Amino acid sequence: MSKRVLVVLGHPSGESFCAALTEAYVEAASGAGHDVRVLRLDALSFDPVLRSGYRQVQPLEPELLGAQADITWAEHLVFIYPIWWGGIPALMKGFFDRVFLPGFAFRYRAGKAFPEQLLKGRTAHLLVTMDTPPWYYRWVYRMPGIHQVRKTTLQFCGIRPLRTLMFGPVLGSSAQRREAWLERARGIAV
């Protein structure tokens, strides 16, 4: 069954292995008949700082309004990003801060501990690169950069993460190893 898929490349460089994973996923998803859009955060022009928190409305740049329209359009989202210092890159964090706003991604409710999830009905995949061995990141560090996206961002807004693939260590990896990782990315895109 065909889906509307939005792929978000959260790496600030278009020359990264994350960019290669994005291309592989998009190629496989398109080949499987899905309607695919790509949002490259490195190509957007926006202020990643939520200047006043939620106390004051900070007008969205046209590209962020377009990103919200793409998220609304999508049935399935794919976030591809590196783990840096245990977490997500500042550009991706700024994107979440500026785009996943009250009234768009969630709505506070008087007397309720948790807000209304406004992005319910969508699913997601996470494809994450790192220079730490994934087993170490999982068992020793406890995956803060994955939990931040899966639980405290996506699930908080109603998006249901289906699968997370961790690729690493990328630093020093062979061409054969990277090709195997690209094949795994293609495999979940269908």
Side-chain angles (χ1 to χ4, degrees):
M1 179 159 69
S2 176
K3 289 184 183 174
R4 295 185 308 272
V5 178
L6 176 63
V7 179
V8 179
L9 173 56
H11 196 294
S13 171
E15 302 299 316
S16 63
F17 185 65
C18 286
L21 286 169
T22 299
E23 289 177 26
Y25 191 100
V26 167
E27 175 188 295
S30 296
H34 300 298
D35 189 1
V36 181
R37 294 181 185 175
V38 178
L39 190 58
R40 296 176 47 121
L41 300 189
D42 69 316
L44 300 184
S45 178
F46 71 98
D47 181 357
V49 179
L50 185 60
R51 300 274 168 198
S52 299
Y54 299 146
R55 292 185 312 273
Q56 183 178 336
V57 173
Q58 183 174 342
L60 292 177
E61 293 85 350
E63 290 170 323
L64 294 186
L65 291 170
Q68 284 186 334
D70 285 342
I71 292 166
T72 300
W73 166 85
E75 297 170 297
H76 182 73
L77 298 113
V78 182
F79 293 91
I80 302 174
Y81 62 95
I83 294 295
W84 289 346
W85 293 105
I88 65 177
L91 180 64
M92 191 166 163
K93 175 67 166 75
F95 175 78
F96 284 134
D97 287 350
R98 292 292 315 283
V99 172
F100 282 60
L101 296 169
F104 171 72
F106 62 94
R107 181 178 298 120
Y108 291 116
R109 300 179 293 178
K112 300 287 185 181
F114 297 101
E116 179 183 0
Q117 300 170 324
L118 300 180
L119 297 177
K120 260 192 159 154
R122 291 165 181 79
T123 57
H125 283 146
L126 277 62
L127 282 66
V128 183
T129 64
M130 60 191 69
D131 287 331
T132 301
W135 68 265
Y136 194 88
Y137 186 69
R138 175 185 302 272
W139 299 111
V140 176
Y141 292 144
R142 299 291 194 204
M143 306 187 308
I146 291 173
H147 291 308
Q148 178 183 16
V149 175
R150 284 179 65 96
K151 295 181 180 194
T152 63
T153 303
L154 301 180
Q155 288 178 349
F156 183 85
C157 299
I159 299 169
R160 187 169 52 94
L162 298 176
R163 188 133 181 233
T164 299
L165 297 182
M166 294 187 287
F167 305 101
V170 175
L171 185 65
S173 62
S174 68
Q176 289 174 317
R177 182 81 166 147
R178 288 189 301 275
E179 184 53 45
W181 290 335
L182 293 173
E183 196 55 40
R184 282 185 65 204
R186 289 181 192 103
I188 67 165
V190 293

